[in-house]
Amino acid sequence: MPEPTVTVTRHEVSVLPETHPDRRYWSAIVARTDGGWMVHASDGTYDQNGNRGTFENPAVHPDLEAALAVARQVAPHVTLNGHPVTDAPAHTSAA
């Protein structure tokens, strides 16, 4: 029987700490597609220049590094229901 393989299909890029309970809502997501990688967030998809597009016609990035670069660029500007990431509730983890 062949050995199982592991394939990474999604990366989460955010300015919020990993422990923040709302991080997933204010993150840029890099997701694997049939033709490459798509960068999206709650407010739409993003092309190679960081311009917002629609989910109906998303830009596909040819390689992961290019998609991650776009996600890093847009992560500080992600909005949720019109609110910027700076409006995310403060969170401190229990020590």
Side-chain angles (χ1 to χ4, degrees), residues 12-18 20-28 41-43 46 52 71-91:
E12 185 179 87
V13 181
S14 180
V15 296
L16 297 176
E18 286 186 47
H20 195 288
D22 296 326
R23 176 186 165 104
R24 69 177 179 229
Y25 303 116
W26 271 287
S27 293
S42 61
D43 57 353
Y46 294 90
R52 191 175 302 139
R72 286 184 192 100
Q73 174 188 346
V74 302
H77 309 286
V78 169
T79 62
L80 176 65
N81 296 326
H83 298 280
V85 68
T86 53
D87 286 354
H91 172 72

Side-chain angles (χ1 to χ4, degrees), residues 42-79:
S42 61
D43 57 353
T45 64
Y46 294 90
D47 68 13
Q48 65 274 9
N49 297 314
N51 297 314
R52 191 175 302 139
T54 65
F55 287 101
E56 291 79 23
N57 190 22
V60 176
H61 304 270
D63 63 82
L64 176 58
E65 289 307 315
L68 286 172
V70 170
R72 286 184 192 100
Q73 174 188 346
V74 302
H77 309 286
V78 169
T79 62

